[in-house]
Amino acid sequence: MLDGNTSGLPNQLLAGEADERYLGTLGFAMVGYAEQAKHAAATVLLPGSEGGGFVQNDVAVPTSLAFEGMETAGRMLDHALGSVAVVASQAFHVTGRAAPPALKETLDFIREAAPPLEGRTRPGPHSGAAIGAIRTRIYGAS
């Protein structure tokens, strides 16, 4: 959505040449989230007891490592969703468009946590606020 040539939206979601907002860092962050999720979701293979001279002939149970990987991959998905939510909200804001009826409630709750960016600001805290709102909506208050 940030590349105007591809999205048909204003390039970098800027309102004009004097607009100081910059969302480009979220794209870099999303690459990192995807890499972390990919590594966390990798298959866990634990070899049996070989080489120690022990008589044990079974393998360790990978359940706890798999659960930890699932948790990490889930957190990275949350981060990606928060970033996309901020960019989508900004796209509606900059273009002055209303969200379609099916998305209005979602856009409203995202904007309650992370209002549209104005002026020179960092998108990371807005993305973090959107992540918190999404997690609360899914899992309830913790």
Side-chain angles (χ1 to χ4, degrees):
M1 286 195 287
L2 297 178
D3 182 1
N5 294 325
T6 304
S7 69
L9 297 168
N11 197 40
Q12 297 297 312
L13 295 178
L14 300 176
E17 289 188 26
D19 194 341
E20 296 182 312
R21 291 175 282 209
Y22 183 67
L23 295 173
T25 56
L26 289 179
F28 294 117
M30 289 194 52
V31 170
Y33 304 148
E35 281 297 311
Q36 288 183 50
K38 181 174 76 172
H39 289 291
T43 302
V44 177
L45 300 173
L46 297 175
S49 299
E50 48 187 299
F54 298 109
V55 294
Q56 183 176 350
N57 64 1
D58 60 349
V59 296
V61 179
T63 309
S64 61
L65 292 175
F67 180 77
E68 186 177 318
M70 181 218 46
E71 285 286 310
T72 300
R75 277 194 318 278
M76 295 306 104
L77 175 61
D78 291 346
H79 287 293
L81 291 174
S83 298
V84 169
V86 167
V87 172
S89 171
Q90 195 67 24
F92 283 117
H93 175 68
V94 169
T95 60
R97 297 177 186 165
L103 293 178
K104 185 176 179 345
E105 181 185 339
T106 301
L107 181 61
D108 289 345
F109 99 82
I110 291 295
R111 284 190 173 165
E112 186 177 319
L117 300 167
E118 295 292 345
R120 179 176 278 181
T121 186
R122 298 177 331 211
H126 282 72
S127 178
I131 293 164
I134 291 167
R135 287 188 66 79
T136 299
R137 188 166 196 181
I138 293 171
Y139 302 112
S142 53

